[in-house]
Amino acid sequence: MPNIIPFKAVKPTRAIVGLVAARPYQSYTLDERESRMAYNPFSFLHIVNPGYKYDQEVTGKERYRMVQNRYLEFKEDGIFVQDENPSFYVYKIVNRHGHEFNGIIAAASAEDYEKDLIKKHEDTIAQREETFKSYLQTVGFNAEPVLLTYPDNAVIAAIIKDTQKGYAEFEFTMTYRDTHYLWKVEDPKTIGIIQEEFKKMKTVYIADGHHRSASSYLLYNDEKAKNPKHQGNESYNYFMSYLIPESELVIQEFNRLVKDLNGFTKEEFLIQLDTTFRIENRGIMPYQPKEAHHFSMYLDGEFYSLFLRKTAYEFHTALDALDAQILYITILQPLLGIDDLRHNDRISYVNGQHEMVTIKSSVDSGAFKVGFGLCPSNVHQMKQIADEGLTMPPKSTYILPKLRSGITIYEY
């Protein structure tokens, strides 16, 4: 029975929302950030990079305090305005590839995260959890929703569709050619229906934002412990989320690049692979796997297809059947000596938005020795792994939509 509630979002004004909205800070190169901040005084990047105002790099608690100051300045200048009534926000994204995402921005319960009513499929790093928790405690707001997904629901779908017939409060297109729309839902009856439909669900699933969810849960525990009058309805009991139906979630693969063959010659490596895979040399023609347990490999100027031998590998859990796990168990760990997928600098990842020629060019440049292409996983696999209490290897999924910061803000 997930508890999803409306909240009073802080939002940019309609006239400048497209100038405020920004991708996550880390997704920009230094030159991109500098350019956007130099020519756009409304960009949310000015808030999360507060030292720019003084041409100074700041870190830690000092940066957090300055983030809060920049945010308050945006409110004082009327760039951000808070809604008067708690609302749900119907949010639609149409990306440049034609994918359409329709969902609801709401506040999800940290207690539901604790009770596993909000399920996870990825491991998190404790240090990153603590860092972002400290950030939230200092700045007092969160500007990027966690992406949650739920089983398709006819009642919620009808409400979203009916809401979208009205005038959109926001409609703007970003430089990446993604178009965003937002409608506010503040009618108490409609809000109640949406909440009841979510309460009928057994669980919802984190699609993207595992660290933000975990940090919000740590914040909830800290604030509850410090509050002798804790009642359960305080803002820290919840975290901002964008909930979309499973059928609209797009999952793409992360391909792998490795810098060396761990001492093997090309011929020795191919012989080792032959134990577990049927191998076919595809020459210079790029090969993109289309089925589960099929892999692409680019090595020494040639593409290969690798088909998992059914007699060479056993499936006991949903995780065992995940291609990212198969690649790790059969090649990356035993042959290439990569135990830690998250921190080993011999391996890099390329998301599925890039074609196989990206792997080819990376290997041909000499920066990497071999590249592997995977078939993307699906929502059913993600849910199975979460339901079994297991976690995927790092960089197993590249999930769309990718959300922007600064469009709706949740204050603690």
Side-chain angles (χ1 to χ4, degrees):
M1 295 177 59
N3 181 22
I4 306 298
I5 68 167
F7 68 102
K8 298 178 182 179
V10 176
K11 309 194 305 294
T13 61
R14 177 182 175 86
I16 59 172
V17 60
L19 295 172
V20 173
R23 304 198 314 270
Y25 179 81
Q26 298 86 350
S27 69
Y28 293 94
T29 66
L30 178 60
D31 288 343
E32 285 177 327
R33 286 200 302 268
E34 292 287 331
S35 175
R36 280 162 171 75
M37 296 175 71
Y39 295 103
N40 179 7
F42 301 110
S43 173
F44 193 77
L45 291 173
H46 283 283
I47 292 177
V48 293
N49 188 19
Y52 178 83
K53 183 176 181 179
Y54 304 107
D55 194 24
Q56 184 77 31
E57 186 73 25
V58 290
T59 58
K61 289 284 188 179
E62 183 181 19
R63 173 175 171 262
Y64 302 165
R65 287 191 292 270
M66 291 181 69
V67 166
Q68 184 186 45
N69 290 340
R70 294 293 89 75
Y71 174 65
L72 293 175
E73 288 170 8
F74 268 50
K75 291 184 72 174
E76 290 164 2
D77 292 341
I79 297 170
F80 285 138
V81 179
Q82 186 166 30
D83 284 338
E84 294 183 3
N85 301 313
S87 303
F88 287 133
Y89 301 90
V90 169
Y91 193 57
K92 174 180 175 179
I93 304 171
V94 181
N95 73 12
R96 57 181 169 171
H97 302 294
H99 294 129
E100 185 173 305
F101 309 97
N102 300 274
I104 295 174
I105 295 176
S109 168
E111 188 175 9
D112 286 350
Y113 180 90
E114 180 180 50
K115 294 178 177 178
D116 211 28
L117 298 177
I118 298 175
K119 287 185 174 285
K120 318 101 179 143
H121 67 266
E122 285 186 6
D123 277 331
T124 52
I125 301 172
Q127 184 177 357
R128 284 183 62 188
E129 293 177 16
E130 287 288 343
T131 296
F132 192 62
K133 180 203 73 172
S134 178
Y135 172 86
L136 294 175
Q137 283 178 319
T138 303
V139 304
F141 69 87
N142 187 13
E144 185 183 348
V146 171
L147 182 62
L148 301 179
T149 189
Y150 60 89
D152 286 39
N153 180 287
V155 174
I156 295 175
I159 290 174
I160 289 175
K161 186 175 181 179
D162 188 58
T163 301
Q164 290 174 342
K165 293 176 182 177
Y167 180 70
E169 183 174 349
F170 292 159
E171 180 180 348
F172 61 96
T173 301
M174 305 294 292
T175 54
Y176 267 47
R177 301 196 301 278
D178 295 350
T179 302
H180 300 249
Y181 307 82
L182 181 142
W183 295 261
K184 184 162 61 175
V185 178
E186 54 184 342
D187 172 59
K189 182 178 179 181
T190 305
I191 287 173
I193 294 171
I194 292 171
Q195 289 183 290
E196 286 304 312
E197 290 302 314
F198 277 111
K199 286 179 180 178
K200 292 177 184 177
M201 299 175 190
K202 186 177 180 182
T203 56
V204 296
Y205 295 80
I206 300 172
D208 196 13
H210 284 78
H211 281 93
R212 277 171 281 140
S213 304
S215 299
S216 297
Y217 172 65
L218 293 179
L219 176 71
Y220 154 75
N221 278 329
D222 271 14
E223 296 302 314
K224 182 173 71 169
K226 290 190 298 186
N227 185 2
K229 297 182 179 179
H230 172 82
Q231 295 182 340
N233 58 358
E234 297 87 353
S235 59
Y236 59 74
N237 290 276
Y238 298 89
F239 56 94
M240 184 169 63
S241 302
Y242 178 44
L243 298 107
I244 69 170
E246 292 172 3
S247 62
E248 294 189 15
L249 198 68
V250 173
I251 301 180
Q252 297 177 328
E253 72 280 10
F254 264 107
N255 298 316
R256 273 75 167 134
L257 288 160
V258 182
K259 291 183 178 180
D260 59 71
L261 295 182
N262 198 30
F264 290 111
T265 65
K266 170 187 171 181
E267 292 72 23
E268 290 169 341
F269 186 58
L270 289 171
I271 290 172
Q272 292 292 323
L273 292 179
D274 190 71
T275 303
T276 312
F277 297 92
R278 291 178 53 195
I279 306 172
E280 182 178 341
N281 188 323
R282 303 276 179 152
I284 62 172
M285 293 299 295
Y287 170 69
Q288 176 69 53
K290 301 296 183 184
E291 296 182 31
H293 317 330
H294 289 189
F295 302 86
S296 173
M297 181 175 73
Y298 184 72
L299 173 64
D300 195 25
E302 296 178 307
F303 283 95
Y304 296 81
S305 58
L306 308 179
F307 298 166
L308 183 68
R309 296 185 187 277
K310 296 179 180 178
T311 56
Y313 187 89
E314 294 184 356
F315 303 102
H316 300 289
T317 68
L319 180 61
D320 293 335
L322 186 74
D323 282 350
Q325 178 74 355
I326 292 171
L327 188 71
Y328 174 66
I329 293 296
T330 60
I331 299 177
L332 297 179
Q333 184 185 48
L335 301 184
L336 296 180
I338 298 174
D339 293 313
D340 187 345
L341 293 172
R342 198 180 297 274
H343 298 111
N344 194 311
D345 62 6
R346 293 172 54 229
I347 187 169
S348 291
Y349 304 90
V350 180
N351 69 62
Q353 299 226 29
H354 299 275
E355 298 179 350
M356 292 302 298
V357 291
T358 302
I359 289 181
K360 179 182 185 301
S361 61
S362 298
V363 173
D364 288 346
S365 72
F368 297 92
K369 184 66 176 179
V370 63
F372 299 96
L374 289 74
C375 192
S377 56
N378 55 52
V379 173
H380 177 68
Q381 286 179 296
M382 184 185 81
K383 290 174 61 178
Q384 269 194 310
I385 289 169
D387 288 344
E388 291 179 17
L390 302 172
T391 55
M392 294 181 175
K395 300 292 185 182
S396 292
T397 56
Y398 183 79
I399 295 180
L400 300 175
K402 293 300 180 187
L403 305 176
R404 297 296 188 265
S405 298
I407 299 172
T408 57
I409 296 172
Y410 182 85
E411 290 191 338
Y412 292 103

